[in-house]
Amino acid sequence: VPRLEQVRLGLPRFAPRTEAETMAAIYTWWNILDAEMYDHDAKYKYQTGYLREMQLKRMVQLVRETGARRYCEIGMNGGHSVAAVLQSSPDVSATVFDMMAFNYSWPVAGLLHAQYGRRFKLHPGNSRATVPRWLHANGMGGAKAPGAADKAPSA
């Protein structure tokens, strides 16, 4: 039976313990994200995200079985994937890079930050600039971001 915990203000009173509770919490989050997206940008038809149920279950399984502590996402869109990962384990933190191009982008990010606090770290802007900057700032300056391959100068 799901239970509410006595916690200090700012922490979630409900933390899913079983797979069924986790999936129900994720689906509830998706309903909230879908509504937020529709409310701010009804013309875009991405309200249901891109994940299929089978993909979601595998993501949750990977997070829980591996004891993952970090998750990186390039292209948050409506926040469905990052919400699923963060909801899967209280030990995971997410580093997210997104253009913040839709009317719903900032409201969705606000909801995720309100729920997950420091576990949700957003880097707004073009990932071709923000990812290399983040890599350099975190001691990984030699690493390349996808799509950031060096190109030979044209003559």
Side-chain angles (χ1 to χ4, degrees):
V1 175
R3 297 173 42 116
L4 291 178
E5 301 293 331
Q6 294 294 326
V7 296
R8 68 177 170 84
L9 291 177
L11 294 177
R13 295 184 296 153
F14 171 71
R17 291 189 175 96
T18 67
E19 181 180 342
E21 288 177 1
T22 299
M23 297 305 290
I26 291 169
Y27 293 151
T28 300
W29 255 103
W30 284 10
N31 285 342
I32 294 166
L33 293 171
D34 293 349
E36 191 74 0
M37 292 171 72
Y38 186 79
D39 189 44
H40 291 279
D41 233 336
K43 66 182 175 207
Y44 291 102
K45 306 300 179 204
Y46 303 119
Q47 280 80 21
T48 57
Y50 300 114
L51 286 177
R52 292 184 175 87
E53 188 172 0
M54 180 175 62
Q55 293 170 305
L56 170 63
K57 287 182 178 182
R58 182 64 177 142
M59 283 176 68
V60 170
Q61 179 186 27
L62 285 170
V63 169
R64 290 178 151 214
E65 288 179 2
T66 65
R69 304 203 33 98
R70 289 186 278 174
Y71 172 74
C72 179
E73 181 167 292
I74 299 175
M76 173 183 71
N77 193 19
H80 295 81
S81 296
V82 71
V85 168
L86 290 169
Q87 196 63 51
S88 297
S89 170
D91 299 322
V92 174
S93 62
T95 301
V96 177
F97 302 88
D98 192 81
M99 296 280 289
M100 307 306 285
F102 297 103
N103 291 337
Y104 56 75
S105 298
W106 286 107
V108 162
L111 285 172
L112 293 168
H113 183 263
Q115 175 65 25
Y116 301 109
R118 291 182 300 184
R119 294 176 55 211
F120 174 76
K121 180 62 177 160
L122 175 66
H123 299 272
N126 188 320
S127 61
R128 290 184 184 203
T130 57
V131 171
R133 192 167 40 244
W134 182 88
L135 290 170
H136 181 74
N138 287 277
M140 298 176 262
K144 294 281 187 200
D150 291 332
K151 295 183 180 166
S154 56

